[in-house]
């Protein structure tokens, strides 16, 4: 369920006509529905309501401060992967005790920052990292909460770029050698072993890979118990998919049911790191058609958003629904939706049956709440677009459109280049 609906041929976000926002904010912009975000968070979190758990929103999917604040208000935490994400999370008012830190390449200074901020735990991905963490923790007189991210060697059956739990992937510590590393970590003075974690991939549409990896993790927890290492947390990562086109992923309730059916202890607190399933269908990208270009080969709708704003179609060949903001009845065309960037991979849709858009018309690119703004860049010196949140019959700009001045912030021309005669 989401709150982007037509009313008399006009697309609304909750009670606000999208056209009205476009008039005030200009295009392109990302548009999020507060009610949808809250509803998706609750649907997920409530599904685990009867077990001890912590929903740590995976903020790489969308790191806007207002969105983080909303989930904080709902009792959630975050999964972070960098010092920058930690900074954002704290700025949004997140409770450090609800922050888990994953990532294969944690830098020493970021670990120190996280230790000083008293985050809940580090999901470590190599023994080298654990040793460094122990060393830094000792130096700053802290004890690092530790969980080892294991690689369970499970095929998540998703796009290869977003598969992370196969032995060939760079992520986690091979489950076969995890016991050895846990035992070694147990001997370190400044780490406190708290949990076991994993994350096998993203946009999963089946339950079986989740269940298979949970079984492997349970087996490991059993072995750890035998070795006298008792963990309190089991972090299952994120990965639950959404419907972009015709996918039929399980509902969070079914996902939770499958996981709970495998849990035979009440002692563990389950940590979940959902990203896409919460925000993916809670946001859309609004863009304006600039030109309709008909060539011998094809029809192109040239719009004012581009691959720098939404890179998923170019990077993964992802499908995003395309809808007119004013859905008046008219003929259909087959077209590519392309942006102004100087690359042939700059498309938002390819060979798509679409309403016959005219120049000046607004277009909604659907399912653009996850890995959309957060993956945007300034390529072609394009200022990053505005982000807007609607609540009921009002809206707020939650991130201003960048200006041309923003584009050059921090750049300086050294004197030797500005001296005349050179
Ligand atoms: N936890 C960890 C450690 C992760 O690496 C990820 C995503 C998540 C949780 C959240 O996964 P989700 O619930 O959103 O599936 N840019 C790609 C997706 C990359 C996902 C990376 N890791 C895309 O646009 O499809």
């Amino acid at each position: 369920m989401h709150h982007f609906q037509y009313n008399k041929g006009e697309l609304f976000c909750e009670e606000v006509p999208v056209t009205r926002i476009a008039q005030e904010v200009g295009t392109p912009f990302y548009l999020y529905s507060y009610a949808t975000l809250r509803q998706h968070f609750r649907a997920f979190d409530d599904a685990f309501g009867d077990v001890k758990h912590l929903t740590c929103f995976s903020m790489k999917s969308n790191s806007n401060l207002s969105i983080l604040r909303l989930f904080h208000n709902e009792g959630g935490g975050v999964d972070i992967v960098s010092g920058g994400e930690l900074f954002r999370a704290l700025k949004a008012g997140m409770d450090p005790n609800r922050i888990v830190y994953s990532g294969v390449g944690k830098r020493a200074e970021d670990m120190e920052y996280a230790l000083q901020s008293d985050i809940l735990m580090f999901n470590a991905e190599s023994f080298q990292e654990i040793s460094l963490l122990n060393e830094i923790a000792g130096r700053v007189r802290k004890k690092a909460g530790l969980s080892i991210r294991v690689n369970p060697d499970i095929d998540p059956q998703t796009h290869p770029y977003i598969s992370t739990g196969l032995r060939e992937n760079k992520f986690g510590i091979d489950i076969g050698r995890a016991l050895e590393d846990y035992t070694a970590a147990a001997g370190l003075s400044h780490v406190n072993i708290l949990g076991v974690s994993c994350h096998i991939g993203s946009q999963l549409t089946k339950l079986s890979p989740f269940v298979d990896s949970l079984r492997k993790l349970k087996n490991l927890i059993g072995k750890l118990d035998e070795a006298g290492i008792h963990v309190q947390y089991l972090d299952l990562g994120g990965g639950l998919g959404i419907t972009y086109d015709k996918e039929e992923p399980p509902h969070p309730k079914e996902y939770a049911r499958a996981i709970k059916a495998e849990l035979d202890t009440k002692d563990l607190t389950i940590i979940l790191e959902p990203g896409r399933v919460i925000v993916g269908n809670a946001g859309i990208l609004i863009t304006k058609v600039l030109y309709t270009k008909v060539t011998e080969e094809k029809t192109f709708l040239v719009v004012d958003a581009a691959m720098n704003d939404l890179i998923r179609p170019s990077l993964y060949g992802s499908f995003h629904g395309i809808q007119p903001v004013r859905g008046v009845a008219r003929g259909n065309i087959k077209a590519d939706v392309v942006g102004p960037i100087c690359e042939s991979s700059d498309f938002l849709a390819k060979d798509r049956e679409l309403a016959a858009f005219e120049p000046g018309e607004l277009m909604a690119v659907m399912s653009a709440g996850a890995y959309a703004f957060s993956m945007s860049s300034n390529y072609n010196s394009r200022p990053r677009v505005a982000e807007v949140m609607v609540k009921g019959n009002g809206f707020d700009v939650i991130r201003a459109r960048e200006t041309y001045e923003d584009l050059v912030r921090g750049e300086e021309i050294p004197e030797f280049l500005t001296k005349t005669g050179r």
Side-chain angles (χ1 to χ4, degrees):
M1 237 316 265
H2 60 68
H3 292 79
F4 301 100
Q5 308 290 351
Y6 287 95
N7 185 350
K8 300 198 181 86
E10 176 86 33
L11 184 64
F12 278 65
C13 176
E14 301 190 20
E15 293 154 45
V16 185
V18 171
T19 311
R20 199 178 100 206
I21 306 172
Q23 277 160 0
E24 283 186 40
V25 177
T27 57
F29 62 95
Y30 278 97
L31 181 58
Y32 308 108
S33 150
Y34 169 80
T36 310
L37 289 162
R38 198 180 59 174
Q39 180 185 314
H40 287 183
F41 184 90
R42 288 186 180 174
F44 190 94
D45 196 55
D46 291 353
F48 288 91
D50 46 353
V51 292
K52 279 192 290 182
H53 74 283
L54 181 59
T55 301
C56 290
F57 171 63
S58 190
M59 64 178 283
K60 63 177 78 67
S61 63
N62 191 317
S63 53
N64 184 285
L65 296 184
S66 303
I67 288 180
L68 300 181
R69 183 61 186 218
L70 194 171
F71 298 146
H72 165 80
N73 294 348
E74 292 292 315
V78 278
D79 147 47
I80 61 167
V81 291
S82 69
E85 285 196 347
L86 176 56
F87 177 78
R88 279 185 169 275
L90 297 175
K91 193 108 185 146
M94 276 288 168
D95 179 353
N97 202 32
R98 292 192 222 142
I99 298 181
V100 297
Y101 188 176
S102 313
V104 287
K106 300 183 190 77
R107 302 185 314 158
E109 49 271 53
D110 292 335
M111 286 188 190
E112 181 170 341
Y113 178 28
L115 282 164
Q116 299 286 19
S117 308
D118 293 320
I119 67 162
L120 176 63
M121 69 186 189
F122 294 79
N123 290 338
E125 308 218 12
S126 68
F127 196 77
Q128 278 180 6
E129 179 193 329
I130 297 173
S131 309
L132 181 61
L133 181 63
N134 181 58
E135 196 182 306
I136 299 170
R139 181 156 47 77
V140 301
R141 295 171 211 286
K142 297 266 182 190
K143 213 152 180 173
L146 177 73
S147 144
I148 289 186
R149 174 173 174 181
V150 298
N151 183 328
D153 194 27
I154 296 282
D155 183 359
Q157 300 164 40
T158 182
H159 191 287
Y161 286 10
I162 51 178
S163 294
T164 46
L166 280 168
R167 193 168 286 152
E168 69 209 48
N169 301 133
K170 68 178 175 184
F171 299 96
I173 289 179
D174 192 300
I175 195 155
R177 62 163 293 161
L179 180 59
E180 197 182 314
D181 286 353
Y182 267 107
T183 311
L188 300 175
S189 53
H190 287 85
V191 301
N192 183 16
I193 297 176
L194 290 182
V196 172
S197 78
C198 80
H199 170 76
I200 56 173
S202 197
Q203 183 55 15
L204 273 70
T205 53
K206 295 201 184 79
L207 289 175
S208 53
F210 290 116
V211 173
D212 292 347
S213 80
L214 176 51
R215 287 191 181 139
K216 289 194 172 184
L217 263 58
K218 269 180 22 183
N219 185 279
L220 172 64
I221 292 175
K223 285 190 191 149
L224 289 174
D225 272 331
E226 284 167 24
I229 299 171
H230 307 292
V231 298
Q232 305 163 43
Y233 292 96
L234 173 56
D235 182 341
L236 296 172
L240 189 56
I242 62 168
T243 304
Y244 284 98
D245 186 12
K246 296 192 177 67
E247 305 89 334
E248 291 181 343
H251 187 275
K253 262 193 206 149
E254 297 170 61
Y255 168 75
R257 200 180 301 130
I259 288 170
K260 287 186 288 188
E262 284 295 319
L263 295 173
D264 32 34
T265 158
K266 294 242 173 304
D267 300 340
L268 291 171
T269 297
I270 306 301
I271 295 183
L272 302 139
E273 302 176 355
R276 188 187 322 262
V277 68
I278 294 183
V279 291
N281 276 322
I284 61 179
L285 170 65
I286 302 299
T287 178
K288 190 169 74 182
V289 178
L290 300 173
Y291 306 104
T292 54
K293 189 167 178 176
V294 184
T295 69
E296 295 272 299
E297 275 300 306
K298 277 193 165 189
T299 298
F300 295 98
L301 299 179
V302 185
V303 299
D304 64 0
M307 67 188 286
N308 73 299
D309 303 307
L310 178 65
I311 203 174
R312 304 192 69 260
S314 324
L315 193 56
Y316 316 111
S318 311
F319 178 99
H320 284 265
I322 303 279
Q323 293 181 14
V325 168
R326 284 224 161 100
V328 286
R330 56 185 140 178
N332 271 21
I333 52 166
K334 191 173 189 185
D336 284 10
V337 178
V338 301
I341 283 183
C342 309
E343 302 238 9
S344 293
S345 61
D346 181 22
F347 59 87
L348 299 176
K350 261 209 143 86
D351 297 321
R352 193 74 68 79
E353 296 281 342
L354 296 168
F357 282 89
E358 296 287 340
E361 266 192 90
L362 295 178
M363 176 186 279
V365 183
M366 308 306 287
S367 313
Y371 307 106
F373 185 91
S374 67
M375 293 180 82
S376 67
S377 77
N378 289 122
Y379 187 39
N380 275 208
S381 284
R382 292 167 50 85
R384 279 183 295 170
V385 306
E387 292 180 285
V388 176
M389 186 185 284
V390 166
K391 178 173 185 286
N393 59 12
F395 70 87
D396 289 279
V397 175
I398 55 172
R399 191 183 205 275
R401 185 180 305 287
E402 287 180 350
T403 63
Y404 290 151
E405 277 304 321
D406 290 331
L407 290 178
V408 294
R409 177 149 308 125
E411 286 185 42
E412 222 165 305
I413 304 178
E415 213 183 274
F416 74 86
L417 289 175
T418 55
K419 276 195 196 135
T420 49
R422 289 210 175 193

